[in-house]
Amino acid sequence: MIRIRGGKVYDPANGVNGEIRDVWIDGGKVVAAPAVAPADVEIIEAEGMIVFPGGVDMHTHVAGSKENVGRKLRPEDHRDHLRSRKGVLRSGSGYTVPSTFLSGYLYAEMGYTTVMEAASAPLLARHAHEELDDLPMVDKGLLVTMGNNQFIMDCIAKGEKERLRHYVSWLLEATRSYAIKIVNPGGVENWKWGRNVAALDDEVIGFEGVTPRKILEGLAEASRDLGLPHGIHVHGLNLGQPRSARTTVETVAGLDGRGSHLCHLQFLSYQGKEEGHAFRSGARSVAEAVKTVRDLTFDVGQVVFGQATTMTSDGPLEFALHQMTGHKWVNDDVEAESGGGVLPVLYDRKSRIGAEQWMTGLELFLLVDDPWRMALTTDHPNGGPFFCYPQVIRLLMDRDYRAEVLASLPPKALEGSLLPDLMREYDLFEIAIITRAAPARILGLTEKGHLGVGADGDVAIYDRVNVDGTACRCSRFQSCRRALSRVRHLVKGGRWVVRDGQIVEEVKGRTFYVAPGFDASLEDHLKDYFERTYTVAFDNYAMVDEELPLGEVIPCRRRNGSF
Amino acid sequence: MALTLTLVTGRTLAQAAAMHKGKTTDHYAAVTRQAEINGEDLAELGLAEGDEATVRTKEGEVRVTLKVSDLPRGMLFLPMGPCANVLIGVDTEGTGMPPFKGLSVEVTP
Amino acid sequence: MSERTENVVCTFCGCLCDDLVVEHEEGRIVKVLKACANGQGHFREYDPSPRLPRLEGRDVSWDEAYSAAGEILRSSRSPLIYGLSSAVTEAQRRAVELADRLGAVVDSTSSVCHGPTGLAMQGVGEPTCTLGEVRNRADLLLFWGCNPLVSHPRHFARYSTAKGRLTPEGRKSRTLIVVDVRPTAATKAADIFVQVEQGRDYEVLTALRALVQGKAMERPSVGGVAREALVDLAERFKNCRYGVAFMGMGLTMTRGRDLNVAELFSLVSDLNDYTRFSVIPMRGHGNVSGADQVTTWQCGFPFAVSFARGYPQYGPGEFTAVDFIARGDADAAVILASDPGAHFPRKAAERLREIPTIVIDPAESLSASQATLWLPTGVAGIDTAGSSYRMDGVALRLRPFLKAQRPSDEEVLVRLIEEVIR
């Protein structure tokens, strides 16, 4: 049993806002204070410290084919970012694309205990899971891409809703995945013809009557009917383009909620040409659209100035970036399912486009009043590395700091911009929402992101006395970027794994996935489909339990019949 | 008569098959010292198919048996393996890869 | 009574054909269907019966072997972990861990096959695709410096000439172009054979890039290839629906090495301005692709990594096995699932015989027969389990169909790690 004594606790899901209280953990879970504490209770002294639930990163790219291509592609990224092996801990390297063990350590040191790898092609899911198995310290899950899946598009073309639902369910279980990811629906299939889609009603080549809108609707319906804990996770059309805000507004209206989640919305909130500028923030119109719809959430995908590595299943986007920048470019078309690309970028604060992107993200954070509808992400490593979250937190909590950074941007970018006039500041309670409570709730992980009885024993404890032993000198400790940059202590699954800033134990996390069930007759149909389409035998496609010893099924709430 | 040829090494079906039987066998040794050469080059050496020849680089020299194939003139082919490796140096030009293809060799009867 | 196991994965080469049928009886393989000659050899020549480790020429118990291995590794100041490519991912993960904990150099057989391909990718990127896109979409296939009929015998039938969604007529739906320095079985199967002078691939590729970009070419020929033939190729490339280039040792082992490959990758990139084009390196060993993956995800670099300073350092030409051994820097070696004794230049192979070596291999390779200690293990996909990565990065599960009578590579490496940590 562990007792975290006397800390200032922020637990928004349970309405606790900075109260001094104890947190008790036993058997890996948060428990009520015992009438009599056992003699061997471990006490973590948290007086004067901030106590948060373990952080939840609901959209990050830390494991799998694309991430590893990014690592391999960029030795220049790692050369100056190295960590030595120490005791039981492994060595590692990488800044925007850290190696797996290092990624786990960095998350733990920042106080995060749950991460969602946000995209793998289903065919490459086994790879993603193998990397996740080498990513210690956190619980995790995987989202698989379905927005350009030929079987799904065939079902939509033929109006076979039921078969579509069974297939989605089968695919989630076969790949041990957590939710449906949709990336540029139809656009990646068209990219295999050298094309893309630009509007919701553009047709997908070779699939009669299938459009991005129909793919979104079909999968949203399947997700609802299967009662998946997390709704469709959407990377929409025209990402990065100056017309993206308009298509985002249309997408929001078209989805009309339905429990959808729009990821890294910042990258899809630009306007341009027709509004008199080449490239500007369109955050206002997107924020307005989001506010008018219920049952819809998003994560921001904030840009952080400096190096980044873009990686996405959105193949045509990466090619466009390659044509624009000339940077080294990797593309990977995945048979019958998906695609993707990787390309290094620099977000330069002296560039107008970089400045606009940076402002767009902050505007979204500040314009949408309800923090429960959003999560803090940088779409790591697309907008910047995840360990820059404390920097983003400071930008949200401290408008003076914001003004300081704004003053360093190109003056032209500031002309007529919204951000300099936004005075809102987040408080720690709101930060705890967008980094813990909201992402856990959006994911449907009921035992994450809070400290109520029955929650997972994941607790992050931050101290004014930083890990290097020096006290933070600034007068605004609680809004200082150092406040949440590195934990003093971390409890993960009931184990005290970080003590005084040092990882003392390497723990393996669980992998969450769903298995909503499907009609067995689907398999005969699939066998035939695999024979005709795939280069992998049906029997060799699905993962088996022994490949995922720490897998854990999260229950679904089905709405539609037994299957 | 000595000829300067360009050595190319590579995988062959016979070498792979012999490998499965075991790299310690005489068969594997025989298969991996079976060189291919252009017919005109062979004639210029004054040799016939099945004859042996010495192949030499500054790294070392080996005896191989010669077989005519449709190689272009000036080329000598050897299956990858211990025989060819006697001829190959270890200068990888900073890549890790030894010069397995395109090495200049001297061939004498 | 013989049993039949279907959809068995063959791990001999990077094709990872997963449609084999194996008949086995009382723990022995009696028949293998659908496999190529290499695959037949892989299954038929393996004897799964238990074997004792061999230490300095005598059979010893496994416990004695492990403690001898520990002795060798603990007393080494500059050990090398080499090979990895025919082992499953689980074992590779342990091999890199062993290197990390030992402060060793770790390198895979990539460095003597597609290492230069990796360097090229790091320089210019790599537009690629999975083999199913080749099956379903590709109408133009370019093989440059590789001979799949020898190195990947079922490649044509399973992937590049198979019938698919947009290629209903299989071979007839495609144009097949082979570029090589000599006629081979593959050049004979091609619609177009382009014979390049040995060592002139880079020049020919550069000329093709220029032609694709619409530049004029004045010289009548480059690298032994006539201007008309090059113009014809450039036009075919630009006008296909979906082209795929396959490349092999003809580029990586020839003068220019990684520069040759980078030029091909750049040509493929350029072609995406006109149509769709991808490139797939023809990876050799069953899981050499996985070795790159594992080393990359665990330490950031695909091969040629030294942990001597406590953190990973990348050094092609320095920590690549041939250089590291030939320079005399390795004072002990663990060789996993590979045979440098047979495949390294003589100077490196001889140097390897002068230092203590621990060879982990199911078969008695040349390296195993010369080793200080040989640890005979099982074969993944026959009597042990694990995963392997196909040449296009698709990971497959290898399911054993015989009962294990030998330890797996992974189990052996776990024991070695325990010996080292002790």
Side-chain angles (χ1 to χ4, degrees):
Chain A
M1 182 174 275
I2 292 175
R3 177 186 185 184
I4 301 166
R5 186 157 69 190
K8 205 169 184 188
V9 177
Y10 292 86
D11 180 14
N14 295 300
V16 179
N17 184 1
E19 290 168 29
I20 309 286
R21 54 163 75 186
D22 292 357
V23 179
W24 295 80
I25 296 161
D26 196 24
K29 298 281 179 185
V30 176
V31 294
V36 183
D40 62 343
V41 66
E42 263 190 302
I43 295 176
I44 303 178
E45 288 296 351
E47 211 174 306
M49 301 184 197
I50 298 167
V51 177
F52 268 29
V56 179
D57 194 345
M58 69 171 296
H59 187 106
T60 178
H61 302 279
V62 284
S65 171
K66 280 189 289 294
E67 171 70 10
N68 220 30
V69 162
R71 293 188 192 105
K72 182 178 173 186
L73 182 67
R74 303 204 65 190
E76 75 278 10
D77 171 271
H78 324 331
R79 224 176 272 282
D80 295 332
H81 298 274
L82 304 159
R83 182 179 293 203
S84 293
R85 68 178 173 275
K86 190 179 174 191
V88 296
L89 304 185
R90 299 283 301 276
S91 69
S93 79
Y95 178 70
T96 66
V97 277
S99 50
T100 53
F101 291 95
L102 180 55
S103 297
Y105 304 153
L106 287 166
Y107 266 118
E109 287 164 354
M110 195 170 69
Y112 273 61
T113 50
T114 307
V115 304
M116 276 289 159
E117 165 52 52
S120 172
L123 182 61
L124 308 177
R126 178 172 281 113
H127 176 175
H129 282 296
E130 290 193 328
E131 286 196 27
L132 286 172
D133 196 47
D134 270 348
L135 188 92
M137 313 307 289
V138 292
D139 293 325
K140 48 241 168 176
L142 176 67
L143 312 184
V144 281
T145 50
M146 299 198 195
N148 292 276
N149 183 303
Q150 294 186 340
F151 190 92
I152 287 170
M153 293 191 293
D154 278 336
C155 288
I156 291 169
K158 293 183 203 148
E160 299 172 339
K161 287 188 181 184
E162 212 171 318
R163 177 170 284 167
L164 168 63
R165 192 173 69 239
H166 290 308
Y167 173 76
V168 166
S169 185
W170 172 82
L171 193 60
L172 286 166
E173 187 173 341
T175 57
R176 300 298 192 265
S177 296
Y178 189 70
I180 300 168
K181 177 77 182 293
I182 302 172
V183 178
N184 189 6
V188 182
E189 175 63 27
N190 280 7
W191 164 236
K192 294 175 183 177
W193 296 88
R195 309 272 291 276
N196 196 349
V197 292
L200 284 169
D201 298 313
D202 284 358
E203 196 159 315
V204 185
I205 301 166
F207 294 86
E208 211 185 327
V210 176
T211 61
R213 186 189 304 280
K214 289 196 174 152
I215 296 169
L216 287 167
E217 287 173 353
L219 287 170
E221 197 176 331
S223 175
R224 269 172 75 110
D225 289 346
L226 291 169
L228 300 183
H230 178 51
I232 54 170
H233 193 108
V234 181
H235 154 152
L237 274 59
N238 291 325
L239 186 141
Q241 305 286 332
R243 57 178 176 271
S244 55
R246 208 172 61 199
T247 37
T248 299
V249 170
E250 287 165 12
T251 305
V252 169
L255 283 169
D256 193 23
R258 302 195 214 200
S260 314
H261 178 82
L262 305 181
C263 56
H264 42 71
L265 198 56
Q266 178 275 133
F267 284 116
L268 291 126
S269 300
Y270 311 134
Q271 57 188 21
K273 296 184 179 79
E274 63 270 42
E275 290 87 3
H277 294 271
F279 188 93
R280 295 236 75 172
S281 165
R284 189 197 296 265
S285 62
V286 169
E288 286 309 314
V290 168
K291 282 196 235 178
T292 58
V293 179
R294 293 159 64 99
D295 202 17
L296 178 104
T297 57
F298 67 96
D299 63 85
V300 173
Q302 175 64 31
V303 154
V304 178
F305 292 124
Q307 282 287 338
T309 303
T310 65
M311 54 181 66
T312 164
S313 306
D314 196 340
L317 164 70
E318 295 290 356
F319 179 64
L321 288 172
H322 168 63
Q323 286 194 309
M324 193 167 80
T325 63
H327 294 175
K328 54 188 180 184
W329 164 60
V330 174
N331 180 77
D332 189 11
D333 294 331
V334 180
E335 63 202 71
E337 292 181 352
S338 186
V342 180
L343 180 121
V345 296
L346 171 72
Y347 295 109
D348 184 355
R349 70 173 71 217
K350 295 199 173 61
S351 122
R352 278 186 68 181
I353 291 184
E356 289 287 352
Q357 293 182 295
W358 182 83
M359 292 194 291
T360 305
L362 290 176
E363 286 168 9
L364 283 174
F365 273 118
L366 298 169
L367 288 170
V368 177
D369 307 316
D370 181 1
W372 286 99
R373 300 200 42 193
M374 72 173 89
L376 187 159
T377 63
T378 57
D379 185 17
H380 165 87
N382 284 288
F386 64 81
F387 47 82
C388 292
Y389 290 176
Q391 188 189 122
V392 179
I393 289 170
R394 186 179 178 204
L395 286 164
L396 297 176
M397 296 184 77
D398 181 351
R399 65 179 169 228
D400 295 341
Y401 177 54
R402 266 195 326 254
E404 228 176 88
V405 180
L406 275 168
S408 72
L409 304 184
K412 281 239 186 267
L414 302 184
E415 277 172 27
S417 280
L418 209 52
L419 185 62
D421 297 325
L422 297 177
M423 292 298 127
R424 182 176 164 201
E425 287 182 330
Y426 275 64
D427 60 20
L428 277 176
F429 187 71
E430 288 173 305
I431 294 296
I433 294 173
I434 64 171
T435 59
R436 273 79 178 167
R441 186 176 285 182
I442 294 166
L443 287 170
L445 289 172
T446 55
E447 287 158 23
K448 293 293 182 190
H450 71 100
L451 297 174
V453 169
D456 283 343
D458 298 352
V459 191
I461 301 151
Y462 301 90
D463 186 12
R464 173 192 292 264
V465 178
N466 240 294
V467 289
D468 55 5
T470 56
C472 179
R473 277 185 236 282
C474 72
S475 55
R476 304 180 62 181
F477 164 62
Q478 296 199 344
S479 63
C480 170
R481 117 173 85 167
R482 296 182 67 185
L484 300 176
S485 67
R486 197 160 168 186
V487 288
R488 172 82 181 257
H489 304 293
L490 181 72
V491 178
K492 169 72 190 72
R495 304 192 69 86
W496 188 356
V497 293
V498 177
R499 294 184 191 220
D500 291 321
Q502 303 300 317
I503 299 174
V504 292
E505 186 186 351
E506 183 180 295
V507 289
K508 277 203 162 194
R510 293 167 288 164
T511 299
F512 303 127
Y513 68 99
V514 293
F518 54 90
D519 189 324
S521 70
L522 174 75
E523 293 195 324
D524 289 332
H525 186 76
L526 280 177
K527 269 180 199 162
D528 176 54
Y529 172 72
F530 266 68
E531 284 283 311
R532 282 184 288 112
T533 309
Y534 276 89
T535 51
V536 172
F538 178 75
D539 286 353
N540 289 322
Y541 186 91
M543 291 181 64
V544 295
D545 285 341
E546 64 203 81
E547 292 182 77
L548 210 62
L550 296 175
E552 183 175 319
V553 176
I554 300 295
C556 299
R557 285 180 296 277
R558 304 200 56 127
R559 300 178 191 214
N560 196 342
S562 62
F563 280 125
Chain B
M1 178 67 218
L3 269 186
T4 301
L5 301 179
T6 302
L7 175 67
V8 171
T9 66
R11 189 177 283 284
T12 67
L13 279 177
Q15 164 262 330
M19 191 170 81
H20 290 298
K21 297 282 181 195
K23 287 178 186 152
T24 50
T25 62
D26 293 343
H27 178 59
Y28 176 73
V31 163
T32 50
R33 54 189 287 275
Q34 175 82 65
E36 291 175 32
I37 190 169
N38 177 284
E40 292 174 46
D41 287 337
L42 185 70
E44 203 168 316
L45 283 167
L47 294 173
E49 185 140 13
D51 284 352
E52 291 203 347
T54 299
V55 184
R56 188 176 294 118
T57 64
K58 70 175 175 13
E59 299 296 329
E61 63 176 64
V62 290
R63 290 290 282 174
V64 302
T65 47
L66 292 171
K67 182 181 133 192
V68 171
S69 77
D70 50 5
L71 286 188
R73 284 210 67 174
M75 189 179 287
L76 185 78
F77 179 88
L78 262 175
M80 58 193 279
C83 173
N85 288 339
V86 171
L87 303 167
I88 312 275
V90 292
D91 181 6
T92 72
E93 295 183 10
T95 64
M97 175 67 80
F100 283 119
K101 295 183 196 285
L103 206 62
S104 188
V105 295
E106 192 190 66
V107 185
T108 48
Chain C
M1 193 53 213
S2 79
E3 278 181 75
R4 209 178 142 89
T5 309
E6 300 202 344
N7 293 318
V8 171
V9 183
C10 170
T11 58
F12 180 79
C13 81
C15 281
L16 289 190
C17 301
D18 72 334
D19 60 345
L20 273 56
V21 179
V22 177
E23 291 178 11
H24 44 97
E25 201 174 314
E26 291 165 5
R28 321 276 312 179
I29 295 167
V30 293
K31 198 168 185 183
V32 182
L33 302 172
K34 296 194 191 176
C36 68
N38 289 339
Q40 290 286 350
H42 173 74
F43 287 97
R44 299 298 301 276
E45 304 301 334
Y46 172 57
D47 173 4
S49 42
R51 260 202 88 131
L52 284 176
R54 206 176 50 212
L55 176 65
E56 286 162 353
R58 66 191 170 91
D59 286 355
V60 295
S61 72
W62 281 92
D63 281 340
E64 195 177 334
Y66 288 130
S67 80
E71 191 61 34
I72 291 170
L73 293 176
R74 283 192 305 270
S75 57
S76 164
R77 289 164 52 87
S78 182
L80 168 72
I81 317 282
Y82 176 74
L84 283 69
S85 58
S86 291
V88 289
T89 314
E90 289 79 355
Q92 294 169 341
R93 286 161 67 181
R94 294 302 184 177
V96 179
E97 179 182 352
L98 177 64
D100 192 357
R101 301 214 183 276
L102 265 177
V105 164
V106 62
D107 188 37
S108 75
T109 62
S110 270
S111 69
V112 290
C113 69
H114 277 284
T117 307
L119 299 180
M121 180 266 201
Q122 290 171 337
V124 303
E126 179 184 359
T128 188
C129 64
T130 66
L131 289 163
E133 295 294 9
V134 183
R135 173 182 175 182
N136 285 297
R137 216 172 271 278
D139 62 344
L140 184 145
L141 304 168
L142 170 66
F143 292 86
W144 199 303
C146 55
N147 182 5
L149 288 164
V150 166
S151 57
H152 304 82
R154 295 186 73 211
H155 171 87
F156 279 138
R158 274 180 55 80
Y159 307 121
S160 59
T161 64
K163 291 177 182 169
R165 196 164 183 126
L166 302 171
T167 52
E169 295 188 76
R171 171 68 178 87
K172 281 191 212 143
S173 297
R174 279 117 169 161
T175 307
L176 212 153
I177 304 166
V178 178
V179 182
D180 209 321
V181 296
R182 60 186 175 111
T184 66
T187 66
K188 285 166 193 133
D191 295 310
I192 301 172
F193 168 37
V194 180
Q195 190 160 354
V196 177
E197 277 174 35
Q198 212 291 326
R200 301 280 169 206
D201 303 271
Y202 184 87
E203 289 89 326
V204 175
L205 284 161
T206 305
L208 282 169
R209 284 189 73 192
L211 289 168
V212 163
Q213 290 170 13
K215 293 178 178 134
M217 177 178 156
E218 285 165 18
R219 288 171 54 174
S221 75
V222 170
V225 187
R227 178 171 55 204
E228 294 67 35
L230 291 170
V231 169
D232 176 57
L233 282 185
E235 285 309 307
R236 285 177 187 273
F237 293 166
K238 285 165 80 167
N239 292 310
C240 70
R241 175 183 60 213
Y242 192 103
V244 179
F246 293 92
M247 48 78 51
M249 305 294 91
L251 287 179
T252 65
M253 288 180 172
T254 300
R255 187 177 72 106
R257 297 178 177 86
D258 51 312
L259 302 177
N260 300 332
V261 184
E263 202 62 4
L264 175 64
F265 285 9
S266 297
L267 171 66
V268 171
S269 275
D270 294 349
L271 282 164
N272 282 283
D273 290 339
Y274 306 93
T275 181
R276 287 305 318 284
F277 226 101
S278 292
V279 58
I280 300 180
M282 287 285 231
R283 302 309 303 265
H285 293 90
N287 197 24
V288 65
S289 185
D292 283 11
Q293 298 279 9
V294 168
T295 314
T296 302
W297 86 55
Q298 290 206 352
C299 69
F301 309 106
F303 60 98
V305 175
S306 168
F307 291 99
R309 291 191 178 171
Y311 51 79
Q313 278 183 294
Y314 183 42
E318 188 177 6
F319 305 129
T320 30
V322 168
D323 306 84
F324 192 67
I325 294 169
R327 231 175 22 238
D329 284 353
D331 66 359
V334 176
I335 294 159
L336 170 63
S338 66
D339 195 3
H343 296 144
F344 275 8
R346 183 173 67 173
K347 192 175 163 197
E350 277 177 359
R351 172 69 197 158
L352 205 51
R353 284 200 290 273
E354 293 163 12
I355 60 175
T357 53
I358 301 164
V359 173
I360 306 171
D361 202 304
E364 185 172 7
S365 62
L366 266 188
S367 304
S369 68
Q370 296 159 357
T372 313
L373 175 64
W374 173 36
L375 302 167
T377 48
V379 173
I382 297 182
D383 52 8
T384 63
S387 86
S388 264
Y389 285 67
R390 208 164 67 177
M391 63 166 76
D392 59 352
V394 173
L396 293 176
R397 174 84 180 161
L398 311 181
R399 293 165 286 134
F401 49 85
L402 299 184
K403 194 171 156 289
Q405 303 179 71
R406 300 174 174 198
S408 68
D409 293 332
E410 184 190 7
E411 285 162 346
V412 167
L413 283 157
V414 167
R415 289 294 301 269
L416 296 193
I417 291 166
E418 285 167 4
E419 287 289 337
V420 167
I421 291 178
R422 206 163 54 133

